[in-house]
Amino acid sequence: MKRECKIRTPLGEMSALLEEDAVLELLFPGQKYATEIKGELQDDPDHPVFRELRRQLEAYFAGRLLTFDLPLAPKGTEFRMAVWKLLREIPFGETVTYGSLAGKLTELRHGCTPAAQAVGGAVGHNPISIIIPCHRVVGADGTLTGYAGGLDRKSFLLALENAKLPDKVKK
């Protein structure tokens, strides 16, 4: 059985789902690409993982937490799982480009380079916002692009982290 709860954040209420005591989803209302959850959901805001999730999110938004430490269970294709694993390696306050993620995947996939657009699709389908930090991925010229939770939220999160953006490409 999956468990759910709503969590208040400075960016609005988020929906959290657990499966077997691990975070399956953490999404903003109306977020693009939200998965359709099948089966019965139990409202369980006092579950220990939800309590810890709320504590860590509160510390993150207060600027006291740089790295999340929660059991995660995102569901996706092998390619998406590889992208989401790389996202978790982006340090707090840093950004990377879609192209640089594609380059890292080339190493993992024995020379097979995915298109930056394919990487962007996988980033956009991230089911665990903030904790799997897809907001730290920017366009090649440093622009804020493609955040399923909305660019205003992406901008807020990067400002919260005092994130370093890549230099703009000079024309």
Side-chain angles (χ1 to χ4, degrees):
M1 175 181 294
K2 294 177 181 78
R3 300 170 189 278
E4 70 176 334
C5 85
K6 303 295 185 198
I7 297 176
R8 289 190 181 104
T9 76
L11 293 173
E13 187 175 75
M14 298 185 80
S15 296
L17 290 177
L18 296 182
E19 184 173 58
E20 297 181 16
D21 298 332
V23 179
L24 179 65
E25 286 191 354
L26 180 63
L27 301 172
F28 294 103
Q31 185 166 326
K32 282 184 183 178
Y33 312 122
T35 57
E36 185 178 322
I37 302 300
K38 295 179 179 158
E40 189 177 332
L41 293 174
Q42 178 183 348
D43 187 38
D44 191 4
D46 293 324
H47 188 281
V49 175
F50 284 143
R51 284 198 311 266
E52 182 60 17
L53 174 59
R54 282 192 298 272
R55 187 193 69 73
Q56 289 188 31
L57 282 170
E58 182 179 301
Y60 169 80
F61 282 111
R64 298 186 316 265
L65 182 75
L66 306 182
T67 305
F68 290 92
D69 183 21
L70 293 159
L72 303 181
K75 303 277 190 249
T77 65
E78 183 179 330
F79 178 74
R80 286 181 180 174
M81 296 292 279
V83 171
W84 300 336
K85 182 179 184 301
L86 287 176
L87 293 177
R88 298 225 38 223
E89 296 171 6
I90 306 169
F92 180 95
E94 300 289 328
T95 58
V96 301
T97 65
Y98 294 96
S100 68
L101 282 176
K104 287 183 182 180
L105 283 167
T106 300
E107 298 167 19
L108 298 173
R109 300 176 80 212
H110 310 292
C112 179
T113 304
Q117 292 86 350
V119 172
V123 170
H125 284 83
N126 169 23
I128 306 177
S129 295
I130 302 173
I131 296 169
I132 297 178
C134 55
H135 61 277
R136 296 178 187 155
V137 184
V138 298
D141 62 355
T143 57
L144 303 187
T145 60
Y147 187 63
L151 288 180
D152 54 336
R153 289 183 176 123
K154 181 173 188 164
S155 180
F156 179 96
L157 294 168
L158 292 173
L160 173 75
E161 296 182 12
N162 198 25
K164 299 174 198 146
L165 296 173
D167 292 331
K168 300 267 184 197
V169 175
K170 293 185 172 87
K171 295 186 180 191

